[in-house]
Amino acid sequence: VAMMRGAWATMRIPESFNIETDFAIKEKYKKASSFVKCDLCRMVVGRTVDTLGEAYQEDDIYDYVDKICDVEDLYDSHEMREAPEHHGSRWMIAKPADGAPKRSDLEVRWQSHAMKELCDNVIRPLDDEIKDTFMLMKRRRTKKSKGKDNVAETSRGATIQTACSKMRLCTGDAAKHAGELE
């Protein structure tokens, strides 16, 4: 009996790549990307919640989630950095701190590149969990509006946590230490 396994991954290649200046920084963030899956999920699903709001239809979810990993300004406005000890992970994604040194264009480009590629490989394949979570939250809000008291939480945070937990990207320490990303 033979067993075949396959692996699929998406690789993004920037428009320009200089092996002398780009390779080390590219590899740095590629290695760091395995530590930021929960943060990335929270960031991407959070943007989805903010974009769709509460008055969405099923088609709106499908349309947005189809291009969920292609939101350039989201990646550019966040940075990958080494996490403090209490975080539970070696790396984290966060908005640049006020007063922090400005990242170079090269840093921004390769951090964004690493986040987009990770999104393509761990978020996009599990987009059904995001869609299911949004429909679940919509049903819960409908029940609440009909006066049912025992309906679970439907807030932004609950939506993010439910989706990322369903995708198994935020579990254990990662879920406890992940910050609220915007």
Side-chain angles (χ1 to χ4, degrees):
V1 175
M3 180 186 249
M4 280 187 66
R5 287 194 167 159
W8 293 94
T10 300
M11 282 188 63
R12 291 180 180 249
I13 305 294
E15 291 179 22
S16 65
F17 180 78
N18 181 331
I19 191 80
E20 294 173 6
T21 59
D22 293 2
F23 187 75
I25 197 164
K26 172 194 167 301
E27 288 301 305
K28 174 183 177 180
Y29 294 116
K30 183 177 180 181
K31 289 176 184 173
S33 66
S34 65
F35 296 100
V36 297
K37 292 176 184 174
C38 180
D39 285 349
L40 180 72
C41 183
R42 296 178 69 79
M43 179 179 77
V44 170
V45 174
R47 170 59 76 90
T48 306
V49 172
D50 296 342
T51 301
L52 295 177
E54 291 186 1
Y56 53 81
Q57 301 300 320
E58 190 170 358
D59 287 344
D60 299 330
I61 301 165
Y62 283 88
D63 291 344
Y64 189 82
V65 171
D66 281 344
K67 51 189 185 292
I68 198 166
C69 295
D70 300 326
V71 187
E72 189 81 28
D73 67 315
L74 179 64
Y75 304 114
D76 289 347
S77 67
H78 288 78
E79 68 179 350
M80 295 171 72
R81 63 177 176 234
E82 291 188 50
E85 281 187 38
H86 70 277
H87 187 268
S89 179
R90 291 177 47 198
W91 286 83
M92 63 188 283
I93 296 175
K95 287 203 175 249
D98 289 336
K102 185 172 175 2
R103 295 178 294 159
S104 70
D105 291 342
L106 193 62
E107 291 271 340
V108 172
R109 182 171 85 186
W110 285 107
Q111 288 178 1
S112 295
H113 175 80
M115 287 185 262
K116 283 189 278 189
E117 193 169 272
L118 185 61
C119 185
D120 285 337
N121 290 314
V122 301
I123 305 287
R124 196 182 307 264
L126 300 171
D127 64 357
D128 284 341
E129 282 76 1
I130 297 171
K131 295 169 187 171
D132 292 346
T133 298
F134 273 80
M135 293 312 295
L136 171 68
M137 294 301 165
K138 184 177 178 99
R139 286 191 303 274
R140 285 181 181 173
R141 280 192 297 278
T142 301
K143 286 180 182 179
K144 275 189 176 181
S145 70
K146 291 182 180 177
K148 296 186 179 179
D149 294 332
N150 61 347
V151 179
E153 183 67 40
T154 61
S155 68
R156 179 184 192 274
T159 303
I160 294 168
Q161 189 58 42
T162 300
C164 294
S165 293
K166 278 185 170 188
M167 290 188 278
R168 296 191 171 117
L169 297 176
C170 290
T171 58
D173 282 346
K176 283 190 266 182
H177 298 289
E180 183 71 24
L181 295 172
E182 297 173 7

